[in-house]
Amino acid sequence: MLRLNLLAEGDAPVTALDPDLAFFTVVVFGLTFLVLWRFAWKPIAEGLDRRERGIADQIDRAKSDAAKAAETLRGYEAKLSGAAEEATRILAQAKTEAQAAGERILAEARAEAEAARTRALADIASAKEQAVRELAKLHVDSAVSLAGSLIRKEVDAKGHQDLIQDSLQRFASRN
Amino acid sequence: MAFALIAVFVPLARKIRTGERPKGRWWNLIETLILYVRDQVARPSIGHHDADHFMPYLWTAFFFILFCNLCGLIPFLGSPTGALGVTAVLAASTLLVVIGTGVKKLGPVGFLKSQVPHMELPLIMAIPIVPLIFLIELVGLFIKHFVLSIRLFANMFAGHLVLAVLLAFIGETWGSSLVYAVAPASIGACVAVNLLELFVAFLQAYIFTFLSALFIGAAAHPH
């Protein structure tokens, strides 16, 4: 049979409340409580509170920064959108201006060309008239000389000049 | 035990006081326990604001009991919480805190009145029943705390008793051939029970602190 002698003879039963042990437990537990309260739990509670406040502040700051960043992002996006519209507008304006400039240059070129043509035609007409005049004069001179030799009659200078003028007018009226 | 507690917590308090984040395994381990007692035990039982006033007592009780319980796992040292004289003092401390809290919050008469739950009874029934319930609740207040001490004592003592019985098997079979079979089995069982005791050490410290917090919370907020 198992003989288990956990208690020596004369020992109090394990469920007995030892007054000395209880008294010293009161002293030890009480002193431990006071010392730990003053030197451990108070600083620990302060430190934990400080850390919690720090973490809460950091979270608040992070939230505030995130809100600011989102606001800035929205601003940039708005500016970007405005810039795209501005670029489109500038492009359209440049295109219009370029088209207008092109048309203006074309019109000027056409006008210049027309002016040059007109001037050339005038020159040609003038040259033609001059040539006709000279040719008529030559013909008249020849005719007068021939006629003079035929009629053996001398034509003086004034008569010669009047004959030329008259011939020229008639020639011009025929041309 | 007191010196061990002071040696652990006073230097640690200097580090935690700075408000810096915990560094190192030891600091993290202890701070985890400290925060667990505060955030998971005290605050849900007593209330967020009131709990902080009772944290010094609850932390002291938790770590005092835990260190006493762990002492029993060290060879040649006994567990102080395996003696009724120690656990009775601890339970009496909780009772004092409970009564002190109730009296401070509600006044002596208010605290006594708060022991009787509110009942819608006809006067004829209330006259005999209310005093009876008051008596039962008052006795129940002391019984609850007495049970608190018995629970802790019994759990710690039972573990040591089981270990002693297991080791006694070896002594009983010593000198016979049975010892070759009994000794390894006893030693293996002792190792297993010791591991269980390690768990029980934490569990009983938690239970004592948790019930203390519940009793304090009930005294601070009776309804």
Side-chain angles (χ1 to χ4, degrees):
Chain A
M1 186 179 170
L2 181 65
R3 293 186 302 276
L4 183 60
N5 296 318
L6 290 173
L7 295 172
E9 279 188 29
D11 278 358
V14 290
T15 51
L17 200 152
D18 184 352
D20 292 341
L21 181 62
F23 171 74
F24 283 110
T25 304
V26 169
V27 173
V28 170
F29 184 71
L31 287 176
T32 308
F33 172 64
L34 290 176
V35 170
L36 288 179
W37 189 357
R38 172 72 184 80
F39 296 106
W41 305 138
K42 207 175 164 187
I44 284 173
E46 286 172 2
L48 292 176
D49 287 345
R50 187 175 294 128
R51 191 191 300 161
E52 279 178 2
R53 280 197 302 274
I55 291 169
D57 288 347
Q58 284 175 352
I59 289 171
D60 287 345
R61 266 204 303 276
K63 280 181 181 170
S64 168
D65 290 348
K68 280 181 190 167
E71 185 65 31
T72 310
L73 185 65
R74 275 196 295 275
Y76 284 143
E77 281 173 351
K79 280 183 184 173
L80 206 61
S81 170
E85 286 174 7
E86 181 73 10
T88 309
R89 192 185 61 75
I90 290 169
L91 204 64
Q93 189 181 357
K95 198 175 170 183
T96 309
E97 285 174 2
Q99 206 167 6
E103 284 172 1
R104 194 181 66 245
I105 290 164
L106 199 62
E108 283 172 4
R110 277 182 185 153
E112 275 183 26
E114 187 60 31
R117 182 170 160 274
T118 307
R119 275 198 307 277
L121 286 174
D123 289 346
I124 289 167
S126 173
K128 183 183 170 186
E129 189 179 349
Q130 183 68 28
V132 168
R133 281 179 188 274
E134 285 176 2
L135 189 60
K137 190 178 179 235
L138 186 63
H139 282 202
V140 170
D141 283 347
S142 301
V144 169
S145 299
L146 185 59
S149 62
L150 287 176
I151 62 174
R152 303 285 183 206
K153 183 183 171 182
E154 283 294 325
V155 181
D156 60 354
K158 188 179 177 300
H160 188 192
Q161 191 60 38
D162 290 339
L163 192 60
I164 288 170
Q165 284 296 330
D166 184 48
S167 298
L168 277 176
Q169 280 170 357
R170 272 186 291 162
F171 187 79
S173 64
R174 275 203 300 259
N175 289 290
Chain B
M1 196 55 53
F3 288 127
L5 280 168
I6 290 165
V8 168
F9 286 101
V10 172
L12 189 70
R14 290 193 190 128
K15 293 180 182 175
I16 295 178
R17 186 180 212 161
T18 59
E20 290 178 9
R21 65 183 179 83
K23 293 169 194 161
R25 293 174 184 173
W26 181 246
W27 185 355
N28 272 291
L29 172 69
I30 299 293
E31 199 175 302
T32 301
L33 292 172
I34 288 171
L35 288 174
Y36 182 80
V37 172
R38 188 189 70 175
D39 297 340
Q40 305 298 326
V41 176
R43 285 182 173 173
S45 306
I46 304 173
H48 191 278
H49 179 67
D50 289 339
D52 288 359
H53 299 302
F54 299 101
M55 286 323 299
Y57 172 71
L58 293 173
W59 276 332
T60 307
F62 178 81
F63 287 106
F64 189 85
I65 293 167
L66 180 64
F67 275 46
C68 286
N69 293 349
L70 292 174
C71 237
L73 297 175
I74 300 169
F76 306 112
L77 286 179
S79 171
T81 41
L84 193 58
V86 175
T87 59
V89 167
L90 293 169
S93 308
T94 296
L95 179 62
L96 279 177
V97 174
V98 167
I99 293 172
T101 304
V103 169
K104 191 178 172 189
K105 278 260 178 184
L106 310 166
V109 178
F111 175 65
L112 289 175
K113 277 173 72 178
S114 73
Q115 298 304 308
V116 182
H118 181 70
M119 294 176 292
E120 295 289 342
L121 289 174
L123 186 64
I124 192 81
M125 288 177 75
I127 289 170
I129 287 178
V130 169
L132 203 63
I133 288 177
F134 172 73
L135 197 66
I136 291 169
E137 290 289 339
L138 200 63
V139 173
L141 180 70
F142 288 95
I143 289 174
K144 277 194 296 189
H145 292 82
F146 177 68
V147 171
L148 198 61
S149 74
I150 292 293
R151 183 186 294 107
L152 178 58
F153 158 71
N155 273 283
M156 298 318 296
F157 182 76
H160 300 329
L161 194 66
V162 171
L163 284 173
V165 169
L166 288 171
L167 287 174
F169 284 128
I170 299 173
E172 194 60 28
T173 55
W174 193 259
S176 72
S177 58
L178 272 176
V179 75
Y180 297 108
V182 169
S186 288
I187 290 169
C190 279
V191 170
V193 171
N194 251 316
L195 293 174
L196 184 66
E197 281 280 278
L198 183 64
F199 169 67
V200 170
F202 281 88
L203 181 69
Q204 287 306 315
Y206 163 74
I207 288 174
F208 189 96
T209 313
F210 177 61
L211 290 174
S212 297
L214 276 182
F215 297 159
I216 292 168
H221 312 287
H223 301 298

